[in-house]
Amino acid sequence: PEYTSPFNVLTGEPVDEDTSAARPYCVMINNHAAARPCKGLSNASIVYEALVEGCITRMMAVFNDISTTDVGYIRSARPYYISLVQSYDAIYVHCGGSTQARSDISNYGIADIDATWGHAGSAWVRDPDRVGRVSYEHTLYAKGAEIAKYAQANFRTEHKSSFDTTYGLSFSDDAVSQCTKDSKDFTVYYYGKQNGSNTSTQFKYDSAKNCYHPYIKGVEYTDGDSTHIDFANVIILNVATKTVDGKGHQEMNLVGNGSGFFCTGGKYVEIKWSRADRADNFH
């Protein structure tokens, strides 16, 4: 059934106030082993995970409202994530980036909040519980209230009237009925060309909460030391990926057509996806 009351356009969940006109925030999250556990990810509406150099993954968390949470640990930009930022008309939060990523941020006019340039100066914090215990690049988090304050002072914080504020998403109370096979526990593999290796994330279904919890190398990926990160839906998109330099930087084709899987309620169905251009959402 269609919802008639306000709902979160990124999750389908009912909300008290219609905030669909607000531009979301896309935040780069470090997924190196030394950067776990993360901070604030359980408050995100959507989380993307993709391969980066070194045969590890990096995450991008999408928030409707960042002002009520601290987020970390912050990492650098990559070109394919910038393509996703464009599809949400989002404000991008990160610390540094590859040469191509910095070029894309400039060329595409991204609303950019970069710790390395001192944007939103007081928003950035080096976690005192981590400094000296892990490498310095794994210690940075962002104070969401300060990020939001900087954005309000420097960027347009609402979508233009012509923008599709549904992001191409639609929600159903019985989506599981459209799935055909069991997916109580499954593993997503991210393949790289470096030494023929790969990395993976496992998802385990929690029937009591009707959601999936992520695990990396057998350890649950949590927010802080113990807070579960609950995923009602998991979408796996198969995309063409290649290594473009000696450092292992990746290039991904996120425009066009492809295959994948949609998992919800302990069930899954094979899907096809399409995306017309960088400004389009996945369909």
Side-chain angles (χ1 to χ4, degrees):
E2 291 189 10
Y3 292 110
T4 55
S5 59
F7 65 95
N8 181 335
V9 292
L10 292 174
T11 67
E13 297 170 307
V15 291
D16 294 331
E17 181 182 357
D18 182 5
T19 59
S20 59
R23 299 176 76 183
Y25 293 82
C26 290
V27 185
M28 295 306 302
I29 303 294
N30 190 344
N31 192 30
H32 189 282
R36 302 179 204 136
C38 65
K39 183 186 290 288
L41 205 64
S42 60
N43 296 317
S45 294
I46 295 174
V47 178
Y48 284 90
E49 183 177 16
L51 192 70
V52 292
E53 61 277 10
C55 255
I56 60 173
T57 62
R58 187 162 299 172
M59 299 178 182
M60 186 182 80
V62 186
F63 294 86
N64 279 93
D65 177 13
I66 202 173
S67 65
T68 59
T69 188
D70 294 340
V71 187
Y73 292 86
I74 307 297
R75 210 61 171 100
S76 54
R78 293 295 180 267
Y80 35 96
Y81 279 116
I82 295 167
S83 172
L84 297 174
V85 170
Q86 290 178 264
S87 69
Y88 291 100
D89 182 36
I91 296 166
Y92 194 33
V93 181
H94 61 102
C95 180
S98 65
T99 300
Q100 185 62 54
R102 288 190 182 279
S103 176
D104 286 353
I105 287 169
S106 176
N107 292 339
Y108 291 109
I110 303 299
D112 186 51
I113 303 180
D114 184 350
T116 60
W117 299 137
H119 299 161
S122 60
W124 309 106
V125 179
R126 294 289 177 180
D127 191 333
D129 293 332
R130 299 178 67 84
V131 172
R133 185 167 60 85
V134 298
S135 296
Y136 203 55
E137 66 267 28
H138 306 313
T139 65
L140 183 69
Y141 72 89
K143 296 167 66 176
E146 296 301 316
I147 293 291
K149 186 183 300 183
Y150 180 86
Q152 290 164 4
N154 289 275
F155 305 121
R156 166 177 52 83
T157 55
E158 291 194 349
H159 295 300
K160 295 179 180 178
S161 59
S162 59
F163 185 78
D164 175 14
T165 55
T166 70
Y167 309 108
L169 294 169
S170 61
F171 297 93
S172 170
D173 286 331
D174 64 345
V176 69
S177 69
Q178 302 171 55
C179 298
T180 56
K181 300 177 182 179
D182 288 336
S183 62
K184 294 292 192 296
D185 299 322
F186 59 92
T187 301
V188 180
Y189 291 95
Y190 301 87
Y191 288 97
K193 297 287 180 66
Q194 296 159 274
N195 301 319
S197 59
N198 65 73
T199 188
S200 63
T201 300
Q202 185 180 18
F203 292 88
K204 296 184 179 182
Y205 181 61
D206 182 340
S207 58
K209 300 181 73 173
N210 192 29
C211 68
Y212 294 95
H213 295 148
Y215 287 74
I216 298 176
K217 294 186 176 180
V219 178
E220 184 176 0
Y221 188 93
T222 61
D223 185 343
D225 291 328
S226 60
T227 302
H228 292 300
I229 299 175
D230 301 332
F231 292 110
N233 307 295
V234 179
I235 299 174
I236 300 110
L237 303 178
N238 296 318
V239 303
T241 305
K242 67 178 181 179
T243 303
V244 295
D245 59 24
K247 294 181 179 179
H249 287 117
Q250 301 295 301
E251 180 180 285
M252 298 187 186
N253 184 8
L254 302 184
V255 172
N257 302 277
S259 62
F261 304 89
F262 170 67
C263 308
T264 190
K267 307 282 283 186
Y268 82 94
V269 66
E270 295 183 40
I271 61 171
K272 294 180 179 179
W273 64 263
S274 64
R275 188 171 179 237
D277 53 44
R278 293 178 66 102
D280 192 21
N281 296 107
F282 285 107
H283 300 277

